[in-house]
Amino acid sequence: MAHHASGTHAHALAHGDGHDGHHDLEELRKFGFWIFLITDCILFAALFAVYIVLHGSTAGGPGPKEIFEMPGVIVETFILLTSSFTSGLAVLAMNAGSRKGLIGWLIVTILLGASFIGLEVTEFVKLVHEGHTISTSAFLSGFFTLVGTHGLHVSLGICWITAVIIQLARHGITPVTKRKVQITSLYWHFLDAVWIFVFTIVYLMGVM
Amino acid sequence: MLDKIKDFASWFFVTGDPLIYGADIAIALTTLAIIFVLTYFKKWTWLYREWLTTVDHKRVGIMYIIASLLMLFRGGVDALLMRTQLAFPDMKFLSPEHYNEVFTTHGVIMILFMAMPLMFGLFNIAVPLQLGARDVAFPFLNSLSFWLFFMGAMLFNMSFVIGGSADSGWLAYPPLSEMTGSPGVGQDFYIWGIQISGIGSLMTGINFIVTIVKMRAPGMTWSKVPMFTWSVLSSCVTIIVAFPVLTVTLALLFLDRYLGAHFFTMDGGGNAMMYINLIWMWGHPEVYIVVLPAFGIFSEIVATFSKKRLFGYASMVFAMMSISVMSYFTWLHHFFTMGSGANVNIFFAITTMIIAIPTGVKIFNWLFTMYRGRINFSTPMLWTIAFIPCFVVGGMTGVMLSVAPADFQFHNSYFLIAHFHQVLIGGVAFGYFAGLYYWWPKMFGFKLNEKLGKWAFWIWNIGFYVCFMPQYFVGLDGMTRRVSTYSWDTGWWAMNFTSTIGGFLMGLGFLFQVWQIAHSIKFMEKDTTGDPWNGRTLEWSIPSPAPLYNFATTPMVTERDDWWEEKERIAAGQAPKAKPALEPIHMPKNSAIPFIQSVCWFMVGFGLVFHWLWIAIPGFIGVFATMLAHSFNYKSDYYIQVDEIERTEAAARRTV
Ligand code: HEM
Ligand SMILES: [Cu+2]
């Protein structure tokens, strides 16, 4: 595909099979991903708006104060923030050219992500066991949907980073894998930022 | 056992209406005919290689256009069914239930499966060529967008013969669209058909923004970007903001229906009004999404056929960009009557009226461009000229509707129906027809027959006014929308009857267009110049149809309307711009993944509609697996070598 953002194509024949290493092509994809993040922001903004409208509509069921257990949520938050930090360390290792360090930190990141999801699932299962489900009230519908959507994003991120780790093991640090690492890390930080809003708006303001 | 199968079939298939049986037979026969033709002429591999797996934006564009014209036919038949039912008081042609289904599918199909894909088709055909680019930014994603739209449209259309159609209007207001109001599967077909194609639309929006921002030919600064491309940018900016809201809205409605959530229900603390806010936060921008590119098309055509530079380029760009932003501050004018309070109504009334200003600016720009031009009245120009009075009247009735107190009178009446058809048909449909006629030679290498085109044009236009002008009056006289019949003593018969005649005239106009296409294919005159209209922008500087790689060498842009200036320079005896030497061209390989992944999405949608997880879960797994397969594919491109480019160019020029 023609990417003459840079104007010339002199480098075209230089590399035998690795055509996909196009520098401008990688830039294009990063730019596209930023726009995708904008759309994801809007998606979450809509879900937050819905939650805020509905958070008082408990229809006789439990409200935020009765069901949120803050210690667990704080641990979750701490784990996710740490994973954002380790994903940053992964990028640093990549920039230093260390494939081992990169893969290692990515593995730490997904393990932390997985424990975050584990805790969230435990919380959901417990709520459902106590009879507080998505169909109990509008408040709980909003809660499960907003928090669950974030959880789905994190789970998707875990699968995605796993795929990137396999590719790193196979191909090493190339322009393509480099871009994939950068994009997944951007995505991961984004989910972290969204969680801060979830933590503040849903949990903190809920129990206050 | 047999009884069980019978029971299942009578629940699964829609039964009981001769019209539906007719459709069943027609669908079965068409499918068989297609399979037969493909097998008999051994075209299966051709279909797979050249179309199903293509990532070429020009082919994707053609597929969008074909699909949308089929949808125009389906939506048009729906319209004529409704008009037939309304032709006489107490007509017994459609039952009230059936009428509800028909107006719902008509609205959905016309906006989401006719206007949107026709628009995307034109984006694909024209934008990369206008930019001097070889492709869109993400060709793989582009093909995926198309197939998602296609599968979504199929899913939605299927409800007509399987399971039953949605019947709660094209925006599916709760509680009508909740389980309590619509217990059947029609509403779920609606949700998944739109959701799946909506994801495709969102990706197209991202794709074209990146293409326009990052892939302009060297020298094409923002003030040299062709107007259609500007309009596409404004439309795509609106898409990426509006469509995520639609995704959320439909997902929440689905959760209500599938898991018993209480977002919009009447019980459990749900809030139906929130749905109406959310859906119109998408729905109002949506009408600008579809009309802005039409404005771009008119701008190109007016300049080309008046042989003049577009008047007021900068103000045009500014007008389009400000419309795409302002469209977010008007959504509430769709429910002035629903008790939001006077201050809220005032705010939205004023924002709505403000949009008339940039729109007026544009109309004057077009008129000034035509002023003292040497106008050529070919079909693209005719549609453009017809659009202007139509849109002016439609716009003025829109301003009338935006006066909140007056809206209490007009709301949900035929006055509204007349207004929005006037802007949608006069603005969007006429605009895309104009674009289709204009770029047709670039797509296929021949012009459409002008004589039949003019017949089609006049019949459509007369039909339009005969159909919709009486509706303003019958609306003022008290006839509300979405009624399936009325009685003699209302005095509405004459106006309705006239309107129906107009509707059928438009149908006749469509038939003329089909005839025109068939006739032109048979008796085509090949366009050997690549520039049949004496165009101004880069797409006319290459042969028609454009070669796979579009531009043999990347054009260097120095002027606005670069191709026109180049022709002027050559006519003045100057040498044409020097072209750099040929180099191998980097191209994406075809891929079956977009098609396969979309089929998997179709399974997801179908499975969830019927609550059959045994279809939905394999569908999800397929979606996931194809995503991974794509991520692991490192061999997705190749080079076209110089000798092949030379051969292609020589072949294209030989016919010159
Ligand atoms: C070609 C000629 C057309 C005719 C004769 C026609 C006729 C009609 C009629 C009779 C209705 C139903 C009114 C009612 O009972 O509520 C309707 C509704 C509608 N039409 Fe059309 N239409 C045409 C084209 C279009 C086009 C091109 C679009 C959009 C691009 C469109 C969009 C709609 C929408 C959104 C509705 C509202 C559906 C609803 O009430 O849920 N129509 N049309
Ligand atoms: Cu509106």
Side-chain angles (χ1 to χ4, degrees):
Chain A
M1 42 214 120
H3 305 285
H4 25 246
S6 67
T8 57
H9 258 273
H11 58 303
L13 282 172
H15 31 258
D17 54 337
H19 302 147
D20 24 33
H22 266 254
H23 172 67
D24 39 1
L25 181 52
E26 303 308 321
E27 285 306 310
L28 220 60
R29 295 196 166 151
K30 273 185 233 161
F31 182 60
F33 193 75
W34 272 104
I35 300 181
F36 164 76
L37 280 188
I38 296 177
T39 65
D40 224 23
C41 270
I42 294 166
L43 184 132
F44 274 110
L47 286 174
F48 274 110
V50 168
Y51 177 79
I52 291 169
V53 169
L54 296 179
H55 79 282
S57 307
T58 54
K65 280 202 180 68
E66 285 106 278
I67 58 168
F68 292 161
E69 286 175 6
M70 285 315 273
V73 179
I74 289 169
V75 174
E76 261 179 64
T77 309
F78 185 71
I79 290 177
L80 200 66
L81 291 183
T82 315
S83 79
S84 225
F85 180 65
T86 56
S87 106
L89 291 180
V91 174
L92 284 184
M94 178 174 77
N95 291 343
S98 152
R99 159 146 66 149
K100 253 193 179 156
L102 167 58
I103 294 184
W105 283 120
L106 286 182
I107 292 179
V108 175
T109 307
I110 53 175
L111 287 179
L112 288 169
S115 20
F116 169 85
I117 293 294
L119 284 173
E120 189 162 272
V121 171
T122 320
E123 183 197 5
F124 279 14
V125 169
K126 186 163 159 282
L127 284 176
V128 171
H129 265 287
E130 289 165 358
H132 311 317
T133 69
I134 194 169
S135 59
T136 304
S137 68
F139 152 64
L140 279 170
S141 305
F143 166 78
F144 278 112
T145 306
L146 173 57
V147 180
T149 305
H150 176 267
L152 258 177
H153 275 72
V154 175
S155 314
L156 211 73
I158 292 173
C159 299
W160 194 5
I161 296 179
T162 313
V164 173
I165 291 175
I166 298 172
Q167 292 173 36
L168 280 169
R170 270 200 204 160
H171 305 276
I173 302 176
T174 69
V176 178
T177 50
K178 204 166 171 173
R179 183 248 313 160
K180 291 192 179 189
V181 172
Q182 281 165 341
I183 285 183
T184 44
S185 136
L186 186 62
Y187 182 66
W188 200 259
H189 292 313
F190 166 75
L191 294 182
D192 212 47
V194 173
W195 179 258
I196 298 191
F197 280 97
V198 174
F199 179 71
T200 317
I201 293 177
V202 176
Y203 289 103
L204 269 188
M205 288 164 71
V207 295
M208 269 190 330
Chain B
M1 183 66 192
L2 202 63
D3 279 346
K4 265 206 182 133
I5 294 179
K6 256 195 192 155
D7 279 353
F8 172 79
S10 69
W11 162 78
F12 188 65
F13 295 105
V14 179
T15 50
D17 192 313
L19 280 172
I20 305 247
Y21 291 129
D24 285 339
I25 295 170
I27 290 171
L29 287 181
T30 318
T31 315
L32 284 177
I34 292 173
I35 293 175
F36 175 76
V37 168
L38 286 172
T39 314
Y40 187 81
F41 292 102
K42 303 206 173 56
K43 288 288 187 195
W44 285 104
T45 41
W46 165 82
L47 184 70
Y48 180 80
R49 287 240 175 82
E50 307 278 315
W51 299 97
L52 296 189
T53 59
T54 188
V55 289
D56 176 5
H57 67 94
K58 300 175 288 292
R59 299 230 158 158
V60 170
I62 289 172
M63 291 193 289
Y64 265 123
I65 289 170
I66 294 172
S68 69
L69 292 180
L70 288 176
M71 289 294 108
L72 177 61
F73 175 74
R74 154 99 212 250
V77 170
D78 280 345
L80 295 185
L81 290 177
M82 288 187 284
R83 279 316 327 168
T84 308
Q85 167 66 21
L86 294 171
F88 294 99
D90 306 320
M91 269 289 267
K92 300 239 161 26
F93 178 62
L94 298 178
S95 69
E97 295 76 29
H98 197 176
Y99 189 89
N100 291 349
E101 297 185 350
V102 173
F103 73 63
T104 303
T105 49
H106 165 78
V108 172
I109 284 178
M110 282 300 195
I111 299 216
L112 287 149
F113 301 129
M114 188 286 280
M116 290 292 278
L118 194 49
M119 169 179 100
F120 290 149
L122 295 172
F123 285 13
N124 269 291
I125 296 299
V127 170
L129 299 184
Q130 288 203 322
L131 292 175
R134 293 215 170 97
D135 214 325
V136 293
F138 310 115
F140 173 89
L141 205 65
N142 196 29
S143 151
L144 182 58
S145 296
F146 168 75
W147 287 111
L148 286 177
F149 143 70
F150 186 81
M151 291 301 161
M154 287 302 113
L155 194 59
F156 182 77
N157 273 279
M158 229 166 87
S159 64
F160 178 51
V161 288
I162 291 179
S165 303
D167 58 1
S168 47
W170 78 285
L171 286 181
Y173 284 4
L176 217 53
S177 53
E178 292 281 356
M179 267 318 189
T180 42
S182 299
V185 293
Q187 200 59 52
D188 301 296
F189 271 117
Y190 168 101
I191 290 175
W192 285 102
I194 297 180
Q195 190 71 297
I196 290 171
S197 70
I199 298 169
S201 306
L202 187 57
M203 295 192 315
T204 306
I206 297 176
N207 210 338
F208 277 86
I209 292 181
V210 178
T211 306
I212 295 170
V213 173
K214 293 277 188 189
M215 290 173 62
R216 303 190 310 279
M220 188 181 280
T221 54
W222 285 111
S223 64
K224 298 192 180 83
V225 172
M227 196 50 72
F228 177 63
T229 298
W230 265 116
S231 73
V232 173
L233 185 63
S234 64
S235 171
C236 288
V237 167
T238 316
I239 287 179
I240 64 159
V241 183
F243 270 76
V245 182
L246 176 68
T247 308
V248 168
T249 314
L250 293 173
L252 300 186
L253 184 62
F254 173 71
L255 289 176
D256 273 7
R257 293 178 59 85
Y258 194 82
L259 295 181
H262 291 289
F263 289 104
F264 315 122
T265 55
M266 300 308 277
D267 58 343
N271 186 336
M273 218 41 225
M274 193 167 61
Y275 180 93
I276 297 179
N277 275 296
L278 284 171
I279 197 84
W280 279 114
M281 256 180 244
W282 161 77
H284 188 80
E286 167 67 12
V287 305
Y288 289 100
I289 288 169
V290 290
V291 85
L292 283 166
F295 293 163
I297 293 170
F298 294 133
S299 304
E300 297 289 344
I301 290 176
V302 161
T304 301
F305 289 83
S306 309
K307 298 200 179 50
K308 276 176 67 187
R309 210 172 227 242
L310 183 71
F311 182 89
Y313 177 94
S315 64
M316 198 68 116
V317 171
F318 182 75
M320 287 195 300
M321 285 303 170
S322 53
I323 288 178
S324 74
V325 174
M326 280 196 268
S327 65
Y328 286 96
F329 298 97
T330 60
W331 81 84
L332 197 130
H333 63 212
H334 294 274
F335 41 100
F336 279 145
T337 59
M338 295 198 202
S340 316
N343 287 331
V344 174
N345 279 0
I346 289 171
F347 175 83
F348 283 92
I350 291 175
T351 52
T352 304
M353 293 173 203
I354 288 177
I355 292 201
I357 298 170
T359 313
V361 168
K362 288 219 275 279
I363 303 256
F364 281 108
N365 283 342
W366 291 316
L367 291 176
F368 284 131
T369 308
M370 284 189 246
Y371 179 66
R372 294 214 167 146
R374 285 166 287 151
I375 300 179
N376 170 347
F377 292 95
S378 300
T379 36
M381 188 62 178
L382 285 182
W383 288 97
T384 303
I385 294 176
F387 146 82
I388 291 178
C390 199
F391 206 77
V392 168
V393 175
M396 284 192 310
T397 55
V399 175
M400 285 167 75
L401 284 160
S402 76
V403 180
D407 188 62
F408 278 72
Q409 177 64 27
F410 307 137
H411 184 68
N412 268 353
S413 74
Y414 257 80
F415 188 89
L416 169 81
I417 300 275
H419 153 71
F420 78 67
H421 281 93
Q422 187 144 27
V423 287
L424 280 171
I425 297 182
V428 178
F430 285 13
Y432 295 172
F433 288 165
L436 203 54
Y437 284 107
Y438 182 57
W439 282 303
W440 187 278
K442 195 41 67 188
M443 285 191 261
F444 298 108
F446 63 94
K447 272 198 207 177
L448 286 173
N449 180 296
E450 281 282 316
K451 194 162 162 223
L452 285 170
K454 285 185 177 146
W455 273 97
F457 167 80
W458 285 109
I459 298 173
W460 258 99
N461 267 275
I462 295 169
F464 174 81
Y465 286 96
V466 174
C467 182
F468 290 104
M469 290 306 118
Q471 293 185 3
Y472 282 118
F473 298 101
V474 81
L476 290 177
D477 209 15
M479 179 162 159
T480 51
R481 76 193 281 203
R482 296 178 181 170
V483 289
S484 69
T485 192
Y486 50 94
S487 62
W488 282 103
D489 55 17
T490 52
W492 298 336
W493 169 71
M495 286 183 279
N496 271 303
F497 187 71
T498 316
S499 179
T500 301
I501 292 178
F504 277 90
L505 275 176
M506 281 187 276
L508 187 66
F510 180 75
L511 290 184
F512 265 83
Q513 288 177 304
V514 175
W515 180 15
Q516 179 193 14
I517 292 176
H519 182 276
S520 310
I521 291 176
K522 190 138 186 244
F523 302 103
M524 65 173 99
E525 315 164 29
K526 267 208 165 315
D527 161 40
T528 53
T529 60
D531 186 13
W533 309 114
N534 196 2
R536 309 179 69 83
T537 41
L538 286 178
E539 73 267 37
W540 305 110
S541 69
I542 52 173
S544 328
L548 183 59
Y549 47 77
N550 297 352
F551 295 87
T553 56
T554 300
M556 301 284 168
V557 175
T558 51
E559 313 283 334
R560 184 185 299 161
D561 293 349
D562 198 69
W563 173 237
W564 177 264
E565 301 295 336
E566 171 85 353
K567 286 189 283 187
E568 299 269 275
R569 270 196 300 271
I570 294 172
Q574 278 165 285
K577 270 190 219 165
K579 287 197 175 162
L582 292 179
E583 280 176 30
I585 295 174
H586 188 211
M587 298 294 289
K589 276 190 196 151
N590 280 5
S591 170
I593 292 181
F595 179 73
I596 299 173
Q597 189 177 106
S598 307
V599 171
C600 295
W601 274 111
F602 182 91
M603 288 165 62
V604 170
F606 190 78
L608 289 176
V609 165
F610 284 101
H611 298 204
W612 289 342
L613 292 182
W614 54 274
I615 296 187
I617 289 171
F620 267 120
I621 294 173
V623 169
F624 203 67
T626 45
M627 281 181 184
L628 281 181
H630 180 57
S631 169
F632 278 85
N633 178 11
Y634 276 63
K635 298 231 179 307
S636 57
D637 47 6
Y638 70 104
Y639 278 89
I640 300 184
Q641 298 303 336
V642 171
D643 53 338
E644 196 186 331
I645 306 171
E646 274 167 353
R647 251 179 286 130
T648 315
E649 288 294 302
R653 301 290 173 192
R654 193 172 308 137
T655 54
V656 172

